[in-house]
Amino acid sequence: MKRSRLLGVALASIALSVGALGAAQAADPLKMAFVYVGPVGDGGWTFAHDLGRKAMEKALGSKVSTSFVENVPESGDAERVIRDLATKGNTIILTTSFGYMDSTLKVAKSFPKVEFYHATGFKSASNVTIYNSRMYEPAYLAGIIAGHMSKTGKLGFVASFPIPEVVRNINAYTMGARSVNSKITTKVVWVSTWYDPSKERQAAEALIGQGADVLLQNTDSSATLQTAQDKGVYAFGWDSDMAAYAPKAHLASAIETWGGYYTKLAEAALAGKPLKQTVWGGIREGMNDLVNVNPVIPETARKIVAAKKAEIAGGMQVFTGPIMGQDGSVKVAAGKSLTDKEIDSVNWYVEGVEGQLPGQK
Amino acid sequence: MIGFELVRRAAPSQAMQVIAPLQAVLLTLLAGLGLFALLGQDPLHAFHQFFIAPLSTPNGVSELLLKASPLCLIGLGLAIAYRANVWNIGAEGQMYIGGVFATGLAIHYQQQWGAFMLPSMIVAGALGGMLWAALTAWCRARFHASEILVSLMLTYVANLLIKYLVFGPWQDPQANNFPLTVAFEDNALFPLLAELGWDWFEGTRLNLSIVITLLAIPLAWVFSQRTFAGFQLAVSGSAPGAARYAGYKESRAVWIAMLMSGAAAGLAGVSEVAGPIGQLNDRWTPQYGFTAIIVAALARFNPLAVPVAALLMALLYLGGESVQIELQLPKSISEVFQGLLLMFLLGSEVLVRFRLRRRVSAARGDGQ
């Protein structure tokens, strides 16, 4: 009895040490977990992140093992989910919505060995890295198309929250359109939500009712696009390719492409050198794009878009002067550009955007 | 044809009043096993992941208590109100206003009030919930407006009020225009149990607000079983005619029921904003006020059963997350379980007032 137990222990310890040796060579897969704000679904913000996760899994195969939790509210629940994922042995946790910022920081403090990546936030820590995509670049390109396609000279924007990330997309869209037609104006409706198809639809209907005939949105559903198709006007897909939802109305999709970045950060972690640098990438870094451009768009417009895209990929900054504010005053002088910090705290509209930015007194 | 039919009982069955909720829970669990099997999982393994695994660590237990605490608190208030036949559906909104009142104090005075900050916030939160409930009570007592509709509608008003505040006057100037207030300082937050020397809770988020709930449970029981006001409420609810004959004013019952349930909801609001969230933001819509309605119903409006029901509902949330993380099952499975539970509960309720009887075949029935 005693002997057999001893033997068992000996065998077990051999097995363990062999296992450890094996681990040094083949290594356990890198455990990565994603926290999503919406449903994985078939389009939009969370869908784009999940495409990124899948692309990374495909690229790295058995070197990584991923899991995700969807529909995590940005309330007290987020911290529990993130903490739970950290205790379950994930070495990389990606929290993919702004509202997870403080929860991520709190959990990161108690798990110094876990690397956290938080999308779109502005607070980092030694093990919390921020990443974001310069969606204003494809928004600018979409604006160029809108400028060509609009007959009424009025564009519409279904906006979520008056935060810099959204305001600069409205600005870029308007600037893109005015670069080809200086009479264009943009109307904005705020829906105070990231995802609510019925509200987005109402907002789109209101904009169309006021004469807007090319719409863009900074919300997650395809409702704006579908409403545009129902009413016979044009719109764009946002976050993911939404052409299939409304092939007639769809002019192009401004999409996020996270796969490359996710693969890079997983590779770095596998090599033992986790990425710690804040990443704010755009077309140049392959983090977003304008895709699936509709053939109804005239050749000339498509050429301009392609040329601008190449310029942006070559380092051109969209917010380069001269840029006028709503009252016609010079906000950015000719030859000057907004710094990243200024882009990240913009709280004014460019010339051509109608209405008052909420929260501005 | 042999079949069954429902026959009204002479009096509601005492035994079934106890059995019905248990039967509902049991049926839910059985349906859950079937559901897991349909989703292609080993039912027992999935079951373990859903109902047992979340409780296997101190952190899991503390998260369960953290989630159950506001549900229990609101559920206690609602149980008292529903016994009086006052259908407060708007506890969610009353909770928001409790949170708003507490936040108002915190962001304006947390620098000056020191140790008085948190106690003041608790009082303010209860008052806020009562105030919001009082609007409903007043409409019902004065105009005979339906408290169901008024309290439900006021929930949306309360939500818009939060949005106005966090987008406007209470917005943190450092927040890049994001709709949130400044984070509360330590004196405006419930201390964590771990910080108070309870080592078992080390690393968990469980905080002192659970004491409010623990105190509320016996208080609610004593109120409903041992006080004259509680008795009046129960009589108004179960026998309005008798209550009127005895000279109990209906409006008084409405006021007491609404104010008590409002205060409980307001306290739950404080325990959230001064607990795990630590600030007010526009996305704070945990739906506890609505879930607590199921909690109160599941407990058959008995204050001593409310904590059990709250723990069960909290477990349904945690279990949903657990199976998603471990088995990649969709999280909506939590909602399916909640729905099943409510459905089976309502179904089982029938047996309190009715009993099943074997139907006598038509031919013989005619011949009687």
Side-chain angles (χ1 to χ4, degrees):
Chain A
M1 197 59 194
K2 210 170 180 183
R3 249 187 77 171
S4 70
R5 185 177 290 174
L6 207 83
L7 193 70
V9 170
L11 279 177
S13 57
I14 290 170
L16 273 177
S17 56
V18 168
L21 273 177
Q25 288 157 3
D28 288 335
L30 181 72
K31 272 188 84 175
M32 300 173 73
F34 292 73
V35 183
Y36 295 146
V37 68
V40 176
D42 49 10
W45 174 258
T46 293
F47 178 70
H49 281 282
D50 206 48
L51 282 183
R53 179 184 70 87
K54 286 178 181 155
M56 174 196 62
E57 269 199 328
K58 204 172 168 203
L60 298 177
S62 62
K63 284 191 260 178
V64 292
S65 107
T66 68
S67 63
F68 65 85
V69 189
E70 61 183 341
N71 279 329
V72 177
E74 297 172 294
S75 60
D77 289 303
E79 192 182 331
R80 177 180 64 250
V81 172
I82 300 167
R83 193 172 284 275
D84 203 27
L85 291 168
T87 53
K88 295 226 162 99
N90 290 290
T91 34
I92 291 184
I93 295 174
L94 299 104
T95 53
T96 61
S97 187
F98 173 82
Y100 301 145
M101 183 168 67
D102 290 313
S103 316
T104 306
L105 286 161
K106 272 190 215 163
V107 180
K109 229 189 238 172
S110 13
F111 293 91
K113 286 188 186 138
V114 178
E115 290 296 328
F116 295 84
Y117 292 86
H118 177 236
T120 74
F122 58 83
K123 292 184 195 165
S124 59
S126 62
N127 59 336
V128 180
T129 306
I130 301 168
Y131 66 101
N132 200 356
S133 135
R134 298 174 190 264
M135 280 300 274
Y136 60 84
E137 292 178 350
Y140 181 84
L141 299 178
I144 297 175
I145 296 177
H148 276 281
M149 299 302 286
S150 174
K151 292 193 182 74
T152 60
K154 286 178 190 159
L155 309 185
F157 199 107
V158 178
S160 52
F161 293 97
I163 54 173
E165 186 178 335
V166 177
V167 175
R168 64 183 178 240
N169 290 338
I170 297 171
N171 284 348
Y173 183 55
T174 309
M175 285 167 60
R178 286 172 72 95
S179 73
V180 294
N181 175 356
S182 59
K183 294 210 170 59
I184 292 267
T185 55
T186 304
K187 289 177 188 296
V188 183
V189 173
W190 297 95
V191 290
S192 292
T193 174
W194 292 107
Y195 181 86
D196 186 337
S198 71
K199 267 193 187 174
E200 294 169 48
R201 168 169 279 273
Q202 283 170 18
E205 279 173 355
L207 288 166
I208 296 166
Q210 290 174 38
D213 63 352
V214 188
L215 308 185
L216 180 63
Q217 69 283 358
N218 207 142
T219 47
D220 293 352
S221 89
S222 53
T224 303
L225 185 56
Q226 285 165 313
T227 310
Q229 174 137 326
D230 293 346
K231 302 275 173 185
V233 300
Y234 289 118
F236 295 89
W238 188 254
D239 287 335
S240 67
D241 186 350
M242 294 181 169
Y245 288 99
K248 267 196 189 147
H250 178 267
L251 289 176
S253 276
I255 65 163
E256 319 248 16
T257 45
W258 303 108
Y261 175 63
Y262 288 162
T263 310
K264 218 160 66 181
L265 75 84
E267 277 171 341
L270 282 165
K273 287 184 196 130
L275 297 181
K276 299 264 193 188
Q277 196 109 43
T278 299
V279 168
W280 197 19
I283 287 174
R284 177 151 65 145
E285 293 80 5
M287 283 178 83
N288 56 38
D289 203 353
L290 189 83
V291 297
N292 220 338
V293 178
N294 193 323
V296 298
I297 299 164
E299 185 65 31
T300 47
R302 272 188 281 164
K303 271 193 181 138
I304 298 176
V305 170
K308 273 285 172 206
K309 190 160 145 182
E311 271 183 55
I312 292 171
M316 186 208 116
Q317 219 265 59
V318 166
F319 296 108
T320 300
I323 301 176
M324 309 295 173
Q326 267 184 309
D327 55 359
S329 64
V330 177
K331 283 283 190 182
V332 185
K336 291 241 164 73
S337 297
L338 288 183
T339 62
D340 274 2
K341 207 174 161 223
E342 286 166 330
I343 297 174
D344 220 8
S345 58
V346 59
N347 59 358
W348 46 269
Y349 281 145
V350 297
E351 191 174 29
V353 183
E354 289 181 1
Q356 200 188 10
L357 183 57
Q360 295 307 304
K361 281 110 206 166
Chain B
M1 278 286 287
I2 296 176
F4 292 93
E5 61 186 348
L6 286 169
V7 181
R8 183 177 277 279
R9 296 178 194 270
S13 158
Q14 293 287 333
M16 276 314 292
Q17 296 207 15
V18 179
I19 295 171
L22 298 178
Q23 178 186 324
V25 171
L26 196 72
L27 286 171
T28 306
L29 297 182
L30 285 176
L33 282 177
L35 186 66
F36 286 133
L38 280 177
L39 288 167
Q41 299 287 336
D42 170 7
L44 286 178
H45 179 58
F47 205 72
H48 180 268
Q49 275 305 333
F50 197 101
F51 291 102
I52 314 282
L55 303 178
S56 57
T57 62
N59 189 50
V61 173
S62 94
E63 287 295 336
L64 181 80
L65 295 174
L66 196 64
K67 190 105 195 165
S69 175
L71 290 175
C72 177
L73 201 51
I74 303 173
L76 288 170
L78 292 182
I80 288 174
Y82 295 169
R83 284 168 90 101
N85 220 3
V86 174
W87 300 97
N88 177 7
I89 302 297
E92 179 82 4
Q94 291 142 27
M95 179 183 74
Y96 293 161
I97 299 300
V100 164
F101 270 49
T103 303
L105 281 188
I107 62 176
H108 290 109
Y109 301 109
Q110 58 186 359
Q111 309 291 347
Q112 293 100 323
W113 286 11
F116 292 105
M117 191 68 247
L118 186 62
S120 322
M121 287 165 69
I122 296 172
V123 174
L127 288 177
M130 286 167 88
L131 175 80
W132 211 245
L135 292 176
T136 305
W138 184 70
C139 287
R140 158 91 194 253
R142 180 79 180 73
F143 305 112
H144 291 287
S146 156
E147 77 277 17
I148 298 176
L149 288 179
V150 176
S151 63
L152 178 65
M153 298 298 203
L154 280 173
T155 298
Y156 301 105
V157 179
N159 186 244
L160 289 171
L161 181 67
I162 290 187
K163 286 213 163 112
Y164 164 73
L165 290 171
V166 297
F167 273 106
W170 288 4
Q171 190 175 44
D172 175 8
Q174 308 292 317
N176 270 1
N177 242 1
F178 265 99
L180 31 91
T181 67
V182 291
F184 295 177
E185 315 249 334
D186 279 348
N187 64 335
L189 292 169
F190 285 99
L192 299 178
L193 291 189
E195 288 168 2
L196 297 172
W198 293 53
D199 288 342
W200 196 77
F201 290 104
E202 192 60 50
T204 71
R205 296 196 291 159
L206 195 60
N207 62 54
L208 217 51
S209 67
I210 192 155
V211 172
I212 297 179
T213 307
L214 291 177
L215 289 175
I217 298 166
L219 282 178
W221 183 79
V222 168
F223 174 82
S224 61
Q225 304 291 328
R226 292 283 180 270
T227 64
F228 186 54
F231 176 71
Q232 280 183 315
L233 283 191
V235 174
S236 307
S238 52
R244 264 194 301 279
Y245 186 70
Y248 304 160
K249 270 198 182 144
E250 194 207 0
S251 64
R252 195 175 123 87
V254 170
W255 275 101
I256 295 177
M258 284 305 299
L259 290 181
M260 291 196 71
S261 51
L267 285 171
V270 186
S271 69
E272 277 278 293
V273 295
I277 304 176
Q279 64 187 171
L280 189 65
N281 64 53
D282 74 307
R283 297 169 202 199
W284 175 54
T285 51
Q287 311 285 323
Y288 290 155
F290 296 124
T291 312
I293 297 172
I294 309 182
V295 168
L298 194 60
R300 296 201 54 82
F301 314 149
N302 177 345
L304 291 184
V306 165
V308 182
L311 286 169
L312 180 68
M313 289 307 281
L315 183 58
L316 292 185
Y317 280 106
L318 300 197
E321 277 159 18
S322 170
V323 293
Q324 182 167 29
I325 294 171
E326 294 295 331
L327 309 171
Q328 298 282 305
L329 291 179
K331 200 177 160 203
S332 1
I333 208 157
S334 286
E335 282 149 45
V336 174
F337 269 105
Q338 284 185 13
L340 283 173
L341 188 59
L342 194 61
M343 191 185 77
F344 284 127
L345 184 70
L346 294 175
S348 305
E349 286 288 286
V350 171
L351 296 178
V352 174
R353 293 182 190 284
F354 295 84
R355 66 192 168 84
L356 277 181
R357 187 176 66 181
R358 197 117 182 232
R359 185 186 289 151
V360 194
S361 82
R364 261 198 291 160
D366 283 345
Q368 269 180 356

